[in-house]
Amino acid sequence: MASLQTSGLLFSSSSSTTSSKRINAAISVPKLPKIRFPLPRNSIKEMILRGSFSNTVPLEKNAATTTIDEPFINSTAASAKEISQLYAILETVADRAEMHKNVGEQRDNWNKLLLNSINMITLTATTMAGVAATGGAGAPLLALRLSSTLLFTAATGMLFIMNKIQPSQLAEEQRNATKLFRQLQSQIQTTLDLYDPAELDVKDAMDNLLALDKAYPLPLLGKVIEKFPAKFEPAVWWPRSHDFQRKSKRPGKNEWSEELEAEMREVIEVIKGKDTEDYMRLGNLALKINKILAISGPLLTGIAAAGSAFVGNGSWAAIVAVAAGALAATVNTFEHACQVGMVVEMYRNCAGFFSLMEESIESALEETELERREDGEMFEMKVALQLGRSLSELRELAQNSSSSRIYGIEVDEFASKLF
């Protein structure tokens, strides 16, 4: 028994000694730094539209938690309203483009159907007048004469309405409106993709949308584009107080130089002296021709109706009816099949395009603070592309214009190679 107690004490003593000599080891993990991940712009916009962002800052629970700076969230929340408004305007613009496209197709069909119908009525009435003049008496003569007169009268009324509304010009208006609404749509989409939308961007997009609605109305009655104005004027589809520049954030001269400013001034002179002047001249000429044709058509069918009423009482009545009817069909075909009204609208739109270019360039040059202008190289490239030229061709045009003014020689080329 004594030996067992002694061995127990020895085991206990050795156990305690071993325990006192145990090494306490622990793994020390260094504290990780805060990691800040900027979110992609598209992800931010999607989160804004879903309402995922709030003005609260996530608390730091551990060292590896991703944190977002409060100023970043505040600025994102501040632009959430502008982004939502721009998307709303974008949807409206897309709807307008589709609407004008459909209306344009409808009015182009009007032009074809009315042209064919009126020509068939006119030629039928002319044939009846000719047949009535060849002979016959009594009831057959009266029937042919009455039918011819009624058809000529109907053609006169229909032709008057057609010449008043000018379906070919209406169709061209809607084609131009569709193109401009799609252009505005791409501009808004670019703003959403590349820039931080601000309140000024929303106002600019809204002003452009309302200006296009005013420039290209949809109704046929009331406030419409005057088809026969006293004076030919370029189309205006942009707000007069429009800010043409997207201000650059690049410090310094913003790639603008005296040479570039001089080049832009020479381009304006060429546009004013050649392109705008030429399209104004052609537009006035087309407008005068359209006025003459629009008056001549109903006048000739009216004369034919009067002549057909007296067929059988003399040879001259039949000659007048048949000749006036044939001329009326010819005039109507030339005016509406050749779409003279569409040509007038095309010239009006082209003149407006060059007026817009002049205003945009002048707006850039009038801005005295270079840092507030659009980037000079980008602006020069845009002007060159709009004129259908390369950068070297644009600079060559400016040099030719400068040399021509120095030597008193007129510039022998247009600024645009597209129209």
Side-chain angles (χ1 to χ4, degrees), residues 139-220:
L141 175 62
L142 179 62
L144 288 172
R145 185 170 62 186
L146 182 60
S147 299
S148 177
T149 303
L150 289 175
L151 287 175
F152 273 129
T153 304
T156 302
M158 293 176 66
L159 194 53
F160 176 80
I161 296 173
M162 186 178 186
N163 290 347
K164 180 68 176 176
I165 65 175
Q166 292 290 313
S168 65
Q169 187 169 349
L170 289 174
E172 182 66 14
E173 290 172 8
Q174 303 310 312
R175 283 191 287 266
N176 291 333
T178 302
K179 181 194 71 174
L180 293 170
F181 272 111
R182 286 176 176 170
Q183 182 180 0
L184 178 60
Q185 181 181 357
S186 65
Q187 290 174 355
I188 296 174
Q189 191 64 57
T190 300
T191 301
L192 289 167
D193 292 340
L194 301 182
Y195 302 102
D196 294 323
E199 185 177 355
L200 182 62
D201 295 309
V202 176
K203 182 179 182 301
D204 186 54
M206 181 68 74
D207 290 344
N208 280 317
L209 173 60
L210 296 178
L212 280 173
D213 285 337
K214 182 179 179 181
Y216 296 100
L218 287 170
L220 290 174

Coordinates of all heavy atoms in Angstrom, one line a residue, residues 139-220:
A139 N -80.7 61.7 -124.6 CA -80.3 61.2 -123.3 C -78.8 60.7 -123.2 O -78.1 61.0 -122.2 CB -81.2 60.1 -122.9
P140 N -78.3 60.0 -124.2 CA -76.9 59.6 -124.1 C -75.9 60.7 -124.0 O -75.0 60.7 -123.2 CB -76.7 58.8 -125.4 CG -78.0 58.3 -125.8 CD -79.0 59.4 -125.4
L141 N -76.2 61.8 -124.8 CA -75.3 63.0 -124.7 C -75.4 63.6 -123.3 O -74.4 64.0 -122.7 CB -75.7 64.0 -125.8 CG -74.9 65.3 -125.8 CD1 -73.4 65.1 -126.0 CD2 -75.5 66.2 -126.8
L142 N -76.6 63.7 -122.8 CA -76.8 64.4 -121.5 C -76.1 63.6 -120.4 O -75.5 64.1 -119.5 CB -78.3 64.5 -121.2 CG -78.7 65.1 -119.9 CD1 -78.1 66.5 -119.8 CD2 -80.2 65.1 -119.6
A143 N -76.2 62.2 -120.5 CA -75.6 61.4 -119.5 C -74.0 61.5 -119.5 O -73.4 61.6 -118.5 CB -76.0 59.9 -119.7
L144 N -73.4 61.5 -120.7 CA -72.0 61.6 -120.8 C -71.5 63.0 -120.3 O -70.5 63.2 -119.6 CB -71.5 61.4 -122.2 CG -71.6 59.9 -122.7 CD1 -71.3 59.9 -124.2 CD2 -70.6 59.1 -122.0
R145 N -72.3 64.0 -120.7 CA -71.9 65.4 -120.4 C -72.0 65.6 -118.9 O -71.1 66.2 -118.2 CB -72.8 66.4 -121.1 CG -72.4 67.8 -120.9 CD -73.2 68.7 -121.9 NE -74.6 68.6 -121.6 CZ -75.5 69.2 -122.4 NH1 -75.2 69.9 -123.5 NH2 -76.8 69.1 -122.2
L146 N -73.1 65.1 -118.3 CA -73.3 65.3 -116.8 C -72.3 64.5 -116.1 O -71.7 65.0 -115.1 CB -74.7 64.8 -116.5 CG -75.1 65.0 -115.0 CD1 -75.0 66.4 -114.6 CD2 -76.5 64.4 -114.7
S147 N -72.0 63.3 -116.5 CA -71.0 62.4 -115.8 C -69.6 63.1 -115.9 O -68.8 63.1 -114.9 CB -71.0 61.0 -116.4 OG -72.2 60.4 -116.3
S148 N -69.2 63.6 -117.0 CA -67.9 64.2 -117.2 C -67.8 65.5 -116.3 O -66.8 65.7 -115.7 CB -67.7 64.6 -118.7 OG -66.5 65.3 -118.8
T149 N -68.9 66.2 -116.2 CA -68.8 67.5 -115.4 C -68.7 67.1 -113.9 O -67.9 67.7 -113.2 CB -70.1 68.3 -115.7 OG1 -70.2 68.6 -117.0 CG2 -70.1 69.6 -114.8
L150 N -69.5 66.1 -113.5 CA -69.4 65.7 -112.1 C -68.0 65.2 -111.7 O -67.4 65.5 -110.7 CB -70.4 64.7 -111.8 CG -71.9 65.2 -111.8 CD1 -72.9 64.0 -111.6 CD2 -72.1 66.2 -110.7
L151 N -67.4 64.4 -112.6 CA -66.1 63.8 -112.3 C -65.0 64.9 -112.3 O -64.1 64.9 -111.4 CB -65.7 62.8 -113.4 CG -66.5 61.4 -113.3 CD1 -66.1 60.5 -114.4 CD2 -66.1 60.7 -111.9
F152 N -65.1 65.9 -113.2 CA -64.1 67.0 -113.2 C -64.3 67.8 -112.0 O -63.3 68.3 -111.4 CB -64.3 67.9 -114.5 CG -63.6 67.4 -115.7 CD1 -64.2 67.2 -116.9 CD2 -62.2 67.1 -115.6 CE1 -63.5 66.8 -118.0 CE2 -61.5 66.7 -116.7 CZ -62.2 66.5 -117.9
T153 N -65.5 68.0 -111.5 CA -65.8 68.8 -110.3 C -65.2 68.1 -109.1 O -64.6 68.7 -108.2 CB -67.3 69.0 -110.1 OG1 -67.8 69.7 -111.3 CG2 -67.5 69.9 -108.9
A154 N -65.4 66.8 -109.0 CA -64.9 66.0 -107.9 C -63.3 66.0 -107.9 O -62.7 66.1 -106.9 CB -65.4 64.5 -108.0
A155 N -62.8 65.9 -109.1 CA -61.3 66.0 -109.2 C -60.8 67.3 -108.8 O -59.7 67.4 -108.1 CB -60.9 65.7 -110.6
T156 N -61.5 68.4 -109.1 CA -61.1 69.7 -108.7 C -61.0 69.8 -107.2 O -60.1 70.4 -106.6 CB -62.0 70.8 -109.3 OG1 -62.1 70.7 -110.7 CG2 -61.6 72.2 -108.8
G157 N -62.1 69.4 -106.5 CA -62.1 69.4 -105.0 C -61.1 68.6 -104.4 O -60.4 69.0 -103.4
M158 N -60.9 67.4 -104.8 CA -59.9 66.5 -104.3 C -58.5 67.0 -104.5 O -57.6 66.9 -103.6 CB -60.0 65.1 -104.9 CG -61.3 64.4 -104.5 SD -61.5 62.8 -105.3 CE -60.1 61.9 -104.6
L159 N -58.2 67.6 -105.7 CA -56.9 68.1 -106.0 C -56.6 69.3 -105.2 O -55.5 69.6 -104.8 CB -56.9 68.4 -107.5 CG -55.5 68.7 -108.1 CD1 -54.5 67.5 -107.8 CD2 -55.6 68.9 -109.6
F160 N -57.6 70.1 -104.9 CA -57.4 71.3 -104.1 C -57.0 70.9 -102.7 O -56.1 71.5 -102.1 CB -58.7 72.1 -104.0 CG -58.6 73.3 -103.1 CD1 -58.0 74.5 -103.5 CD2 -59.2 73.3 -101.8 CE1 -57.9 75.6 -102.6 CE2 -59.1 74.3 -100.9 CZ -58.5 75.5 -101.4
I161 N -57.7 69.9 -102.1 CA -57.3 69.4 -100.8 C -55.9 68.8 -100.8 O -55.1 69.1 -99.9 CB -58.3 68.4 -100.3 CG1 -59.7 69.1 -100.1 CG2 -57.9 67.8 -99.0 CD1 -60.8 68.1 -99.8
M162 N -55.6 68.0 -101.8 CA -54.3 67.4 -101.9 C -53.2 68.4 -102.0 O -52.1 68.3 -101.4 CB -54.3 66.4 -103.1 CG -53.0 65.6 -103.2 SD -53.0 64.4 -104.6 CE -51.5 63.5 -104.3
N163 N -53.4 69.4 -102.8 CA -52.4 70.4 -103.0 C -52.2 71.3 -101.7 O -51.1 71.9 -101.5 CB -52.7 71.3 -104.2 CG -52.5 70.6 -105.5 OD1 -51.9 69.5 -105.6 ND2 -53.1 71.2 -106.6
K164 N -53.3 71.4 -101.0 CA -53.2 72.2 -99.7 C -52.4 71.5 -98.7 O -51.6 72.1 -98.0 CB -54.6 72.4 -99.2 CG -54.7 73.2 -97.9 CD -54.3 74.6 -98.1 CE -54.5 75.4 -96.8 NZ -54.0 76.8 -97.0
I165 N -52.6 70.1 -98.5 CA -51.9 69.4 -97.4 C -50.5 68.9 -97.9 O -49.6 68.6 -97.0 CB -52.7 68.3 -96.9 CG1 -53.0 67.2 -97.9 CG2 -54.0 68.8 -96.3 CD1 -53.7 66.0 -97.4
Q166 N -50.3 68.7 -99.2 CA -49.0 68.3 -99.7 C -48.5 67.0 -99.1 O -47.6 67.0 -98.2 CB -48.0 69.3 -99.6 CG -48.1 70.6 -100.5 CD -47.9 70.3 -101.9 OE1 -46.9 69.7 -102.3 NE2 -48.8 70.7 -102.8
P167 N -49.2 65.8 -99.4 CA -48.8 64.6 -98.7 C -47.3 64.2 -98.8 O -46.8 63.6 -97.9 CB -49.7 63.5 -99.4 CG -50.8 64.3 -100.0 CD -50.3 65.6 -100.3
S168 N -46.7 64.5 -100.0 CA -45.3 64.1 -100.1 C -44.4 64.9 -99.1 O -43.4 64.4 -98.6 CB -44.8 64.3 -101.5 OG -44.9 65.7 -101.9
Q169 N -44.8 66.2 -98.9 CA -44.1 67.0 -98.0 C -44.4 66.6 -96.5 O -43.4 66.6 -95.7 CB -44.5 68.5 -98.1 CG -43.6 69.4 -97.3 CD -43.8 70.9 -97.7 OE1 -44.5 71.2 -98.7 NE2 -43.3 71.8 -96.9
L170 N -45.6 66.2 -96.3 CA -45.9 65.6 -94.9 C -45.1 64.4 -94.6 O -44.6 64.2 -93.5 CB -47.4 65.3 -94.9 CG -48.4 66.5 -94.8 CD1 -49.8 65.9 -94.9 CD2 -48.2 67.3 -93.6
A171 N -44.9 63.5 -95.6 CA -44.2 62.3 -95.4 C -42.7 62.6 -95.1 O -42.1 62.0 -94.3 CB -44.3 61.4 -96.6
E172 N -42.2 63.6 -95.9 CA -40.8 64.0 -95.7 C -40.6 64.6 -94.3 O -39.5 64.4 -93.6 CB -40.3 65.0 -96.7 CG -38.9 65.4 -96.7 CD -37.9 64.3 -96.9 OE1 -38.3 63.2 -97.4 OE2 -36.7 64.5 -96.6
E173 N -41.5 65.4 -93.8 CA -41.5 66.0 -92.5 C -41.3 64.9 -91.4 O -40.5 65.0 -90.5 CB -42.7 66.8 -92.2 CG -42.8 68.1 -93.0 CD -44.1 68.8 -92.8 OE1 -44.9 68.3 -92.0 OE2 -44.4 69.8 -93.5
Q174 N -42.2 63.8 -91.6 CA -42.1 62.8 -90.6 C -40.8 61.9 -90.7 O -40.3 61.4 -89.7 CB -43.4 61.8 -90.8 CG -44.7 62.6 -90.7 CD -44.8 63.4 -89.5 OE1 -44.5 63.0 -88.4 NE2 -45.2 64.7 -89.6
R175 N -40.3 61.8 -91.9 CA -39.0 61.1 -92.0 C -37.9 61.9 -91.3 O -37.1 61.3 -90.6 CB -38.7 60.9 -93.5 CG -39.4 59.7 -94.1 CD -38.9 59.4 -95.5 NE -39.2 60.4 -96.5 CZ -40.2 60.4 -97.3 NH1 -41.1 59.4 -97.2 NH2 -40.4 61.3 -98.2
N176 N -37.9 63.2 -91.5 CA -36.9 64.0 -90.8 C -37.1 64.0 -89.3 O -36.1 63.9 -88.5 CB -37.0 65.5 -91.3 CG -36.5 65.6 -92.7 OD1 -35.7 64.8 -93.2 ND2 -37.1 66.6 -93.4
A177 N -38.4 64.0 -88.9 CA -38.6 64.0 -87.4 C -38.2 62.6 -86.8 O -37.6 62.6 -85.7 CB -40.1 64.2 -87.2
T178 N -38.4 61.5 -87.5 CA -37.9 60.2 -87.1 C -36.4 60.2 -86.9 O -35.9 59.7 -85.9 CB -38.4 59.1 -88.0 OG1 -39.8 59.2 -88.2 CG2 -37.9 57.8 -87.5
K179 N -35.7 60.7 -87.9 CA -34.3 60.8 -87.8 C -33.8 61.6 -86.6 O -32.9 61.2 -85.9 CB -33.7 61.3 -89.1 CG -32.2 61.4 -89.2 CD -31.7 62.3 -90.3 CE -32.0 63.7 -90.0 NZ -31.4 64.6 -91.0
L180 N -34.4 62.8 -86.4 CA -33.9 63.6 -85.4 C -34.3 63.1 -84.0 O -33.5 63.3 -83.0 CB -34.6 65.0 -85.6 CG -34.1 65.8 -86.8 CD1 -34.9 67.0 -87.1 CD2 -32.6 66.1 -86.7
F181 N -35.4 62.4 -83.8 CA -35.8 61.8 -82.6 C -34.8 60.7 -82.2 O -34.4 60.5 -81.1 CB -37.2 61.3 -82.6 CG -38.2 62.4 -82.1 CD1 -39.1 62.9 -83.1 CD2 -38.2 62.9 -80.8 CE1 -40.0 63.9 -82.7 CE2 -39.2 63.8 -80.4 CZ -40.0 64.4 -81.4
R182 N -34.4 59.9 -83.2 CA -33.5 58.8 -83.0 C -32.1 59.4 -82.7 O -31.4 58.8 -81.9 CB -33.4 57.9 -84.2 CG -34.6 57.1 -84.4 CD -34.6 56.2 -85.6 NE -35.8 55.3 -85.7 CZ -36.1 54.6 -86.8 NH1 -35.4 54.7 -87.9 NH2 -37.1 53.8 -86.8
Q183 N -31.8 60.5 -83.3 CA -30.5 61.2 -82.9 C -30.5 61.6 -81.5 O -29.5 61.5 -80.8 CB -30.2 62.3 -83.9 CG -28.9 63.1 -83.7 CD -28.7 64.2 -84.7 OE1 -29.6 64.5 -85.5 NE2 -27.6 64.9 -84.5
L184 N -31.6 62.3 -81.1 CA -31.7 62.7 -79.7 C -31.7 61.5 -78.7 O -31.1 61.5 -77.7 CB -33.0 63.5 -79.5 CG -33.4 63.9 -78.1 CD1 -32.3 64.9 -77.6 CD2 -34.7 64.6 -78.0
Q185 N -32.3 60.4 -79.1 CA -32.3 59.2 -78.3 C -30.8 58.7 -78.1 O -30.5 58.3 -77.0 CB -33.1 58.1 -79.0 CG -33.2 56.8 -78.3 CD -34.0 55.7 -79.0 OE1 -34.6 56.0 -80.1 NE2 -34.0 54.5 -78.5
S186 N -30.0 58.7 -79.2 CA -28.6 58.2 -79.0 C -27.8 59.2 -78.2 O -26.9 58.8 -77.4 CB -28.0 58.1 -80.4 OG -27.9 59.3 -81.1
Q187 N -28.1 60.5 -78.2 CA -27.4 61.5 -77.4 C -27.7 61.3 -75.9 O -26.8 61.3 -75.1 CB -27.8 62.9 -77.9 CG -27.3 63.3 -79.2 CD -27.8 64.7 -79.7 OE1 -28.7 65.3 -79.0 NE2 -27.4 65.1 -80.8
I188 N -29.0 61.1 -75.6 CA -29.3 60.8 -74.2 C -28.7 59.5 -73.7 O -28.2 59.5 -72.6 CB -30.9 60.7 -74.1 CG1 -31.5 62.1 -74.4 CG2 -31.2 60.4 -72.6 CD1 -33.0 62.1 -74.4
Q189 N -28.7 58.5 -74.6 CA -28.1 57.2 -74.2 C -26.6 57.4 -73.9 O -26.0 56.8 -73.0 CB -28.3 56.2 -75.2 CG -27.9 54.8 -74.8 CD -28.8 54.3 -73.7 OE1 -30.0 54.2 -73.8 NE2 -28.1 53.9 -72.6
T190 N -25.9 58.2 -74.8 CA -24.5 58.5 -74.6 C -24.2 59.2 -73.3 O -23.3 58.9 -72.5 CB -24.0 59.3 -75.8 OG1 -24.2 58.6 -77.0 CG2 -22.5 59.6 -75.6
T191 N -25.1 60.2 -72.9 CA -25.0 60.9 -71.7 C -25.1 60.0 -70.5 O -24.3 60.0 -69.5 CB -26.1 62.0 -71.6 OG1 -25.9 62.9 -72.7 CG2 -26.0 62.8 -70.3
L192 N -26.0 59.0 -70.6 CA -26.2 58.1 -69.5 C -25.0 57.1 -69.4 O -24.6 56.7 -68.3 CB -27.5 57.3 -69.7 CG -28.8 58.0 -69.5 CD1 -30.0 57.2 -70.0 CD2 -29.0 58.3 -68.0
D193 N -24.4 56.8 -70.5 CA -23.3 55.8 -70.5 C -22.0 56.4 -70.1 O -21.1 55.7 -69.4 CB -23.2 55.1 -71.9 CG -24.4 54.2 -72.2 OD1 -25.1 53.8 -71.2 OD2 -24.7 53.9 -73.3
L194 N -21.7 57.6 -70.5 CA -20.3 58.2 -70.4 C -20.2 59.3 -69.4 O -19.1 59.5 -69.0 CB -19.9 58.7 -71.8 CG -19.8 57.7 -72.9 CD1 -19.3 58.4 -74.2 CD2 -19.0 56.5 -72.6
Y195 N -21.3 59.9 -69.0 CA -21.2 61.1 -68.1 C -22.0 60.9 -66.9 O -22.8 59.9 -66.8 CB -21.6 62.3 -68.9 CG -20.9 62.6 -70.1 CD1 -21.5 62.3 -71.4 CD2 -19.6 63.2 -70.1 CE1 -20.8 62.6 -72.5 CE2 -18.9 63.5 -71.3 CZ -19.5 63.2 -72.5 OH -18.8 63.4 -73.7
D196 N -21.8 61.8 -65.9 CA -22.6 61.8 -64.7 C -23.7 62.8 -65.0 O -23.5 64.0 -65.0 CB -21.8 62.3 -63.5 CG -20.7 61.3 -63.1 OD1 -21.0 60.1 -63.3 OD2 -19.6 61.7 -62.8
P197 N -24.9 62.3 -65.2 CA -26.1 63.2 -65.5 C -26.3 64.2 -64.5 O -26.3 63.9 -63.3 CB -27.2 62.3 -65.7 CG -26.6 60.9 -66.0 CD -25.4 60.9 -65.2
A198 N -26.5 65.5 -64.9 CA -26.8 66.5 -64.0 C -28.2 67.1 -64.3 O -28.8 66.7 -65.3 CB -25.8 67.6 -64.0
E199 N -28.7 68.1 -63.5 CA -29.9 68.7 -63.8 C -29.9 69.4 -65.1 O -31.0 69.5 -65.8 CB -30.3 69.7 -62.7 CG -31.6 70.3 -62.8 CD -31.9 71.2 -61.6 OE1 -31.1 71.3 -60.6 OE2 -33.0 71.9 -61.6
L200 N -28.8 70.0 -65.5 CA -28.7 70.7 -66.8 C -28.9 69.7 -68.0 O -29.5 70.0 -69.0 CB -27.3 71.3 -66.9 CG -27.0 72.1 -68.2 CD1 -28.0 73.3 -68.3 CD2 -25.6 72.6 -68.2
D201 N -28.4 68.4 -67.8 CA -28.6 67.4 -68.9 C -30.1 67.1 -69.0 O -30.6 66.9 -70.2 CB -27.8 66.2 -68.6 CG -26.3 66.4 -68.6 OD1 -25.9 67.0 -69.6 OD2 -25.7 66.0 -67.6
V202 N -30.8 67.0 -67.9 CA -32.2 66.7 -68.0 C -33.0 67.9 -68.7 O -33.8 67.7 -69.5 CB -32.8 66.5 -66.6 CG1 -34.3 66.3 -66.6 CG2 -32.1 65.3 -65.9
K203 N -32.6 69.1 -68.3 CA -33.3 70.3 -68.9 C -33.0 70.4 -70.4 O -33.9 70.7 -71.2 CB -32.8 71.6 -68.2 CG -33.5 72.8 -68.7 CD -32.9 74.0 -68.0 CE -33.6 75.3 -68.5 NZ -33.4 75.6 -69.9
D204 N -31.8 70.1 -70.7 CA -31.4 70.1 -72.2 C -32.1 69.1 -73.0 O -32.6 69.3 -74.1 CB -29.9 69.9 -72.3 CG -29.3 70.0 -73.7 OD1 -29.6 71.1 -74.3 OD2 -28.7 69.1 -74.2
A205 N -32.3 67.9 -72.4 CA -33.0 66.8 -73.1 C -34.5 67.2 -73.3 O -35.1 67.0 -74.3 CB -32.8 65.5 -72.4
M206 N -35.1 67.7 -72.2 CA -36.5 68.1 -72.3 C -36.7 69.2 -73.3 O -37.7 69.2 -74.0 CB -36.9 68.5 -70.9 CG -38.4 68.9 -70.8 SD -39.5 67.6 -71.0 CE -39.3 66.7 -69.4
D207 N -35.8 70.2 -73.3 CA -35.9 71.3 -74.2 C -35.8 70.8 -75.7 O -36.6 71.3 -76.6 CB -34.8 72.4 -74.0 CG -35.1 73.1 -72.7 OD1 -36.2 73.1 -72.2 OD2 -34.2 73.8 -72.2
N208 N -34.9 69.9 -75.9 CA -34.8 69.4 -77.3 C -36.0 68.6 -77.7 O -36.4 68.7 -78.9 CB -33.5 68.4 -77.3 CG -32.2 69.2 -77.5 OD1 -32.2 70.2 -78.2 ND2 -31.2 68.8 -76.7
L209 N -36.6 67.8 -76.8 CA -37.8 67.0 -77.1 C -38.9 68.0 -77.4 O -39.6 67.8 -78.4 CB -38.1 66.2 -75.9 CG -39.5 65.4 -75.9 CD1 -39.5 64.5 -77.1 CD2 -39.7 64.7 -74.6
L210 N -39.1 69.0 -76.6 CA -40.2 69.9 -76.9 C -40.0 70.7 -78.1 O -41.0 71.1 -78.9 CB -40.4 70.9 -75.7 CG -40.8 70.2 -74.4 CD1 -40.9 71.2 -73.2 CD2 -42.1 69.5 -74.5
A211 N -38.8 71.1 -78.4 CA -38.5 71.8 -79.7 C -38.8 70.9 -80.9 O -39.3 71.5 -81.9 CB -37.0 72.2 -79.7
L212 N -38.4 69.7 -80.8 CA -38.8 68.8 -81.9 C -40.3 68.6 -82.1 O -40.8 68.6 -83.2 CB -38.1 67.4 -81.7 CG -36.6 67.3 -82.1 CD1 -36.1 65.9 -81.6 CD2 -36.4 67.5 -83.6
D213 N -41.0 68.5 -81.0 CA -42.5 68.4 -81.1 C -43.0 69.7 -81.8 O -44.0 69.6 -82.5 CB -43.1 68.3 -79.7 CG -42.9 66.9 -79.1 OD1 -42.7 65.9 -79.9 OD2 -42.9 66.7 -77.9
K214 N -42.5 70.8 -81.5 CA -42.9 72.1 -82.1 C -42.6 72.2 -83.5 O -43.3 72.7 -84.3 CB -42.4 73.2 -81.3 CG -42.8 74.6 -81.8 CD -42.3 75.7 -80.9 CE -42.7 77.1 -81.4 NZ -42.1 78.2 -80.6
A215 N -41.4 71.7 -83.9 CA -40.9 71.8 -85.2 C -41.6 70.9 -86.2 O -41.8 71.2 -87.4 CB -39.4 71.6 -85.3
Y216 N -42.0 69.7 -85.7 CA -42.6 68.7 -86.6 C -43.9 68.2 -85.9 O -44.0 67.1 -85.3 CB -41.7 67.5 -86.8 CG -40.4 67.9 -87.5 CD1 -39.2 68.1 -86.8 CD2 -40.5 68.1 -88.9 CE1 -38.1 68.5 -87.5 CE2 -39.3 68.5 -89.6 CZ -38.1 68.7 -88.9 OH -37.0 69.0 -89.6
P217 N -45.0 69.0 -86.0 CA -46.3 68.6 -85.4 C -46.9 67.5 -86.2 O -46.7 67.3 -87.4 CB -47.1 69.9 -85.5 CG -46.5 70.7 -86.7 CD -45.1 70.3 -86.7
L218 N -47.8 66.7 -85.5 CA -48.4 65.6 -86.1 C -49.8 65.9 -86.8 O -50.2 65.3 -87.7 CB -48.6 64.5 -85.1 CG -47.3 63.7 -84.7 CD1 -47.6 62.8 -83.5 CD2 -46.9 62.9 -85.9
P219 N -50.6 66.9 -86.2 CA -51.9 67.1 -86.8 C -51.9 67.7 -88.2 O -50.9 68.2 -88.7 CB -52.5 68.2 -85.8 CG -51.7 68.1 -84.6 CD -50.3 67.7 -85.0
L220 N -53.0 67.4 -88.9 CA -53.1 68.0 -90.3 C -53.8 69.3 -90.3 O -53.7 70.1 -91.2 CB -54.0 67.0 -91.1 CG -53.3 65.7 -91.5 CD1 -54.3 64.8 -92.2 CD2 -52.1 66.0 -92.4

